Amino acid sequence: MENKPKISAFDVEMMQKCLQLAQRATGKTSPNPLVGSVIVKDGEIIGEGFHPGVGQPHAEIFALNDAGEKAKGATVYVNLEPCNHYGRTPPCSEALIKAQVGKVVAGMVDPDPRVAGGGIQKLRDAGIEVIVGVEETACRQLNEAFIYRTIHQQPFGILKYAMTLDGKIATIKGHSAWVTGKAARHLVHQVRSTCDAVIIGGNTVRQDNPNLTTHGVTEHNPLRVVMSRSLDLPSDCNLWNTDVAPTLIFTEENNNSTLQKELNTKGVDLITVAALTPKIVMEHLYQQGISKVLWECGGTLAARAIADGTIQKVMAFIAPKIIGGTDAPSPVGDLGLSNMTEALQLKDVEVKAIDSDILIEGYIPMLFG
């Protein structure tokens, strides 16, 4: 049995530095992962880099270029196993061997079957020492969408909603601005900045007229996706301003051709399908190279998305308010569950205070889909 290598506090510090570098490209790399790399010699950082986006060099290449000839005999830290295949760019494993580095410390094995340990093996075969599993939990969390997409051939879905203490997302008349406070809303904008797309239904468009942007948190705005079977949507709303961010509408065939023509002139893209479901939408988004999707829809669509197996994580913001109303909308509609024993129990739950609001995050077990 292989002895587990000793991981030092310095190794942990350098891997955290890799993760910080990787996050500089948040929201810009899909379908590629977020990767950062640091090269160290004699306890000093001599090179660093991160992968900025598809078609660009990988993190290790930027770090090697930064280090130059000093890379010989140095230790390379990277949060994901160096690739070992020819894609849009040459394999990083070959570049590391060519640079004659002495050691590679990787945060985790790449789940991509084209890599999946092959890069590590190639480095070891070349006589380079390799350590795997430093800060692995943090590395996996950073790239949870990439990992899910790679394994399941579907984007990673997050359901986000804000509700009152009595479980309402709006008043009985549909008014919902604002359930939570400024700090919670700012956090939502930050979450959007990490996503490739955000999805809502037609009812949210009609009632809230949202922007679905990051509100200047970063320059990255996700693709704004609207699901509307009937295309019964207003001709004038914020989402049709595609100068701010792109908008894509999924609808069913032969609906509202007048609005379709009007939206086309505004740069809004439309995809018509025979039967509109969350699963169909996620399949289309997967084909577009999207990894991480934020569902900010109402309860009816949220229930369908859960039942379709398109939501893996829940972010529930709870405000210390009571609005009442028997018919006031709640965050998730009918799932067809009649007994409390059937309830979806979230796993890996975290609870955080965001000023006076509470955020509960957790993952849905794979019971559906």
Side-chain angles (χ1 to χ4, degrees):
M1 190 174 172
E2 188 180 343
N3 289 327
K4 199 164 184 181
K6 190 174 180 183
I7 295 169
S8 68
F10 183 77
D11 290 336
V12 170
E13 184 187 343
M14 289 302 100
M15 192 58 67
Q16 288 172 347
K17 173 75 173 170
C18 290
L19 294 171
Q20 289 166 8
L21 286 165
Q23 286 173 328
R24 291 189 188 177
T26 295
K28 299 173 185 175
T29 63
S30 290
N32 290 356
L34 292 162
V35 185
S37 182
V38 173
I39 301 179
V40 173
K41 202 169 194 177
D42 300 325
E44 297 290 328
I45 294 174
I46 58 169
E48 59 181 48
F50 64 93
H51 175 52
V54 173
Q56 303 260 13
H58 290 184
E60 302 94 312
I61 305 304
F62 280 108
L64 285 171
N65 290 341
D66 192 26
E69 291 181 5
K70 293 179 184 175
K72 185 176 180 180
T75 298
V76 178
Y77 291 87
V78 60
N79 59 290
L80 187 69
E81 173 186 3
C83 67
N84 191 40
H85 65 282
Y86 283 88
R88 293 181 178 91
T89 56
C92 293
S93 55
E94 288 186 7
L96 292 166
I97 293 166
K98 188 178 177 183
Q100 297 181 300
V101 303
K103 180 178 174 182
V104 173
V105 181
M108 61 173 282
V109 173
D110 192 329
D112 189 327
R114 295 173 299 177
V115 188
I120 291 165
Q121 193 56 51
K122 187 165 188 174
L123 293 169
R124 285 176 174 160
D125 289 346
I128 297 170
E129 182 188 353
V130 182
I131 294 175
V132 186
V134 177
E135 288 290 85
E136 184 170 1
T137 300
C139 291
R140 294 185 73 84
Q141 190 168 21
L142 177 71
N143 277 311
E144 64 183 0
F146 166 76
I147 295 167
Y148 187 86
R149 175 192 160 86
T150 301
I151 294 170
H152 299 283
Q153 286 80 57
Q154 177 180 290
F156 181 79
I158 303 169
L159 173 63
K160 184 248 41 167
Y161 57 81
M163 70 177 190
T164 58
L165 205 54
D166 54 338
K168 310 298 182 182
I169 59 172
T171 68
I172 195 167
K173 293 186 177 179
H175 187 261
S176 62
W178 299 103
V179 175
T180 52
K182 282 184 180 179
R185 298 201 299 276
H186 181 73
L187 178 57
V188 170
H189 300 152
Q190 288 180 314
V191 173
R192 279 184 196 156
S193 75
T194 71
C195 294
D196 307 309
V198 54
I199 299 179
I200 58 171
N203 202 40
T204 303
V205 177
R206 289 185 291 271
Q207 291 202 342
D208 297 348
N209 189 21
N211 287 290
L212 300 182
T213 64
T214 57
H215 292 257
V217 169
T218 68
E219 76 257 7
H220 167 71
N221 283 309
L223 170 69
R224 303 173 300 183
V225 179
V226 178
M227 289 178 64
S228 174
R229 281 204 180 97
S230 63
L231 209 58
D232 177 22
L233 301 170
S235 58
D236 183 28
C237 70
N238 294 327
L239 292 180
W240 309 159
N241 179 10
T242 54
D243 291 337
V244 178
T247 301
L248 171 62
I249 299 174
F250 284 88
T251 188
E252 293 185 354
E253 293 166 0
N254 305 316
N255 282 326
N256 202 340
S257 59
T258 305
L259 181 62
Q260 284 198 36
K261 288 174 186 172
E262 199 175 322
L263 292 173
N264 282 331
T265 62
K266 293 180 178 180
V268 176
D269 293 319
L270 283 99
I271 292 177
T272 57
V273 296
L276 184 57
T277 65
K279 195 163 189 65
I280 287 287
V281 168
M282 289 296 247
E283 284 171 3
H284 276 275
L285 296 180
Y286 174 79
Q287 295 301 329
Q288 291 186 25
I290 280 173
S291 300
K292 192 174 181 181
V293 173
L294 187 64
W295 292 79
E296 293 199 47
C297 52
T300 303
L301 183 51
R304 288 177 188 147
I306 291 171
D308 259 9
T310 57
I311 288 174
Q312 286 65 54
K313 185 177 183 178
V314 175
M315 296 183 71
F317 291 86
I318 304 168
K321 299 175 181 177
I322 294 173
I323 193 68
T326 307
D327 297 323
S330 60
V332 180
D334 186 13
L335 284 171
L337 307 178
S338 52
N339 298 317
M340 191 56 74
T341 51
E342 298 174 275
L344 299 182
Q345 176 71 52
L346 299 186
K347 57 185 182 179
D348 300 327
V349 173
E350 287 187 25
V351 181
K352 301 170 188 169
I354 315 291
D355 278 0
S356 62
D357 301 316
I358 300 293
L359 169 61
I360 297 178
E361 291 182 90
Y363 296 83
I364 294 180
M366 293 184 69
L367 301 178
F368 290 91

